[in-house]
Amino acid sequence: MDNIKKQPLVNSSKGGLNKSYRLEQLHIALKNNTVNYLEFYGRNNTYLRKTYAEVYLDVHRTISLLKSMKLQPRDRVGILGANSYEYVIADLAVVMGGYVSVPFPDKYFLYQIGNLHEEYELKLLFVDSHNWHQINNEAKCALEKLMQIIDRQSSDENNIHIPDGEDIFMINFTSGTTGFPKGIEIRSKCLEEWVSVIAERFPFTSEDKLINFLPLHISNARFLIYAAILLPFNLTVTLSDQLMKVLQESRPTILQGVPYLFETVYGNVMRTIESSPLRHVAFRAFRMSKRWLPPKMLSKLQSRMFRQALQFWGGRMRLLVTGSAPISTKVLDLFEDMGLNIYESYGINEIGLVSINSPGRYRFGTVGQPFSTKQVVIGDNQEILVRSDYSWGTSYLNKSEVINAEIFKSDGFISTGDMGYLDDDGYLHVIGRIKELLVLATGEKVHPNLIEEMLRVSTSIKQVVAIGDGKHFISCILVLAERSLKETEIHGIISHANKRLPEALRIRGYVLAKEPFTIENGLLNSTLKINRNKVFEAYRRDIDELYEEG
């Protein structure tokens, strides 16, 4: 890659980033907004709603609390806990006060909780009651009690921190799919870029409402909070196990979700359609005629045919965004039928958001056109390489030069580890992780995503992992939607998939998983991506027996 000439990166198609989306603008955006609001839905029917102006007061009281603890600019402040209003306030106070926010994914740091202060040089740790007693360091603050604590604090609104674009304001952690999460320092100018490119691609209005249910230690979940304040629009925060209930009560218009969520809805809708011959015939007729229907008639038919599915999202949803893992094209097809497009995005923790599909700039089966702030090239082994003045990181925290050099190249490019290509119109196609490529003993190469896509179209298959690296044939580990599925039915699903695969890549065996892949059993990571290595470990004996018999 050293022979690629570095080109100046364009800020945006409109000639530059929007200065009103800078980090320090969060103060003004909150203080002057008495219309838009943040609401939090917790467990046991707990509910809280505050205007952004009221949020501003809570944030500044928390900043006063941090100052009273003698914290200095750029000091690191950790956050460890479940989604809550207090979590949002703590994070906003840290980044708006000129400190560095360090939100920890507790699942991975479970056995290191007692050492977080020393390992990451924390001056303070906001922590919830679940983890409180594991923290021996006195420099900690109870998240659940934060509102009571700041109630005694005055609000110092005169001393607003204005960061330099290169100042670090956050430490983000990788997802943990390929090993223990690695820390990455993010500069404040990356927020300005992130919000600018999103605002350029999507027609947000002040009446929109975003539902944020992914764990707040995920960077995009927090960046969406900043965007909701800066653009502005309304914001709902809740926990993932409350999502279905809160969708009905909050009735949001925007949701960012992982593919697994949309695949689950797809399965439910298709099972309903297939359970009735009349529905099945009506659905096929709709698909054949929809492209010729006038818009009003199409919308009316969609509302009638998919009424339950549309109501699942609350009845007002208009923007669905996904990323983090491949999504089946059959799922995209169905949501397009419903009049509710899913916009795929692509990004990695090391560089941030790279591309996204959006209204008016949409190509089915791609992750959109890269932003003008990101330079994308395709390197050896079809690897996607990205360079940007707004890369989230230039190295990993507390890691050797050798490890850093594998990802952060000397010419400024970042090695994503993903395979893909750019089509003639500049849309990015992502195939999958290079490390996941299956190389059969016969020499045939295939990415497991291509095999899994063939099986995921069946509503009877809930989750699937294709295996066969170094073996003579492909097999799969299957999580069934219904345990009562007969063996002949499973063979029928596999046979249907094999008709669309070349002879050398056909599925010739399978293992039935004992339970779904979940975060709790370690087979999904925090962003709900399948942890293939853990799945292989969990079913190694079954896999070995399968290939011995084969």
Side-chain angles (χ1 to χ4, degrees), residues 478-491:
L478 304 175
V479 176
L480 303 180
E482 299 175 4
R483 294 293 298 179
S484 59
L485 203 67
K486 296 177 182 178
E487 189 174 347
T488 53
E489 292 174 302
I490 298 172
H491 289 168

Side-chain angles (χ1 to χ4, degrees), residues 51-106:
T51 67
Y52 284 171
E54 292 171 320
V55 170
Y56 174 79
L57 293 177
D58 286 342
V59 169
H60 270 270
R61 288 189 184 112
T62 307
I63 292 174
S64 295
L65 173 67
L66 298 177
K67 289 179 179 178
S68 73
M69 294 178 172
K70 309 301 181 186
L71 267 68
Q72 300 300 313
R74 301 183 181 85
D75 279 348
R76 294 178 183 175
V77 179
I79 310 177
L80 181 65
N83 288 10
S84 65
Y85 176 73
E86 291 81 4
Y87 194 123
V88 175
I89 295 302
D91 179 66
L92 285 171
V94 173
V95 300
M96 290 167 61
Y99 311 107
V100 179
S101 180
V102 191
F104 292 99
D106 55 357

Side-chain angles (χ1 to χ4, degrees), residues 2 8 12 44 121 161 164 269 425:
D2 291 332
S12 79
N44 302 317
E121 300 177 8
H161 177 77
D164 180 84
V269 173
D425 295 317

Side-chain angles (χ1 to χ4, degrees), residues 254-442:
I254 307 167
L255 178 144
Q256 175 186 253
V258 294
Y260 184 61
L261 170 63
F262 304 116
E263 287 165 0
T264 301
V265 173
Y266 165 84
N268 292 337
V269 173
M270 291 306 298
R271 276 191 289 274
T272 299
I273 290 172
E274 292 167 0
S275 67
S276 163
L278 187 60
R279 285 196 197 102
H280 188 67
V281 170
F283 178 63
R284 290 188 63 183
F286 169 79
R287 278 199 156 169
M288 291 173 64
S289 61
K290 67 177 183 179
R291 68 185 64 184
W292 292 289
L293 295 174
K296 285 187 177 180
M297 183 181 292
L298 176 61
S299 179
K300 195 171 183 179
L301 273 175
Q302 287 168 330
S303 297
R304 182 179 300 174
M305 182 168 290
F306 303 106
R307 183 176 68 255
Q308 278 187 306
L310 293 171
Q311 190 55 47
F312 170 84
W313 303 104
R316 295 202 317 137
M317 191 67 69
R318 70 181 190 88
L319 288 176
L320 296 174
V321 177
T322 193
S324 82
I327 187 169
S328 169
T329 54
K330 290 290 184 180
V331 177
L332 298 176
D333 271 333
L334 179 65
F335 275 79
E336 192 175 272
D337 289 338
M338 290 161 51
L340 196 54
N341 284 350
I342 298 174
Y343 297 103
E344 284 192 87
S345 64
Y346 175 70
I348 61 171
N349 287 293
E350 290 80 359
I351 201 162
L353 196 59
V354 175
S355 65
I356 193 168
N357 271 313
S358 57
R361 299 177 73 171
Y362 177 85
R363 177 156 296 177
F364 187 85
T366 77
V367 293
Q369 294 174 321
F371 302 122
S372 56
T373 50
K374 303 293 195 302
Q375 181 184 4
V376 175
V377 299
I378 306 302
D380 298 336
N381 300 315
Q382 290 185 270
E383 182 176 19
I384 299 169
L385 301 166
V386 187
R387 182 165 59 187
S388 175
D389 291 336
Y390 300 93
S391 293
W392 280 15
T394 55
S395 65
Y396 296 124
L397 286 175
N398 308 329
K399 297 298 177 183
S400 68
E401 291 184 10
V402 174
I403 292 175
N404 281 314
E406 291 178 0
I407 304 299
F408 303 95
K409 305 302 181 183
S410 59
D411 57 5
F413 277 95
I414 288 176
S415 175
T416 68
D418 291 318
M419 297 173 64
Y421 62 94
L422 290 162
D423 63 26
D424 292 340
D425 295 317
Y427 284 86
L428 181 60
H429 300 246
V430 179
I431 298 170
R433 301 291 293 169
I434 292 173
K435 289 182 179 180
E436 295 172 358
L437 188 70
L438 301 178
V439 182
L440 303 189
T442 59

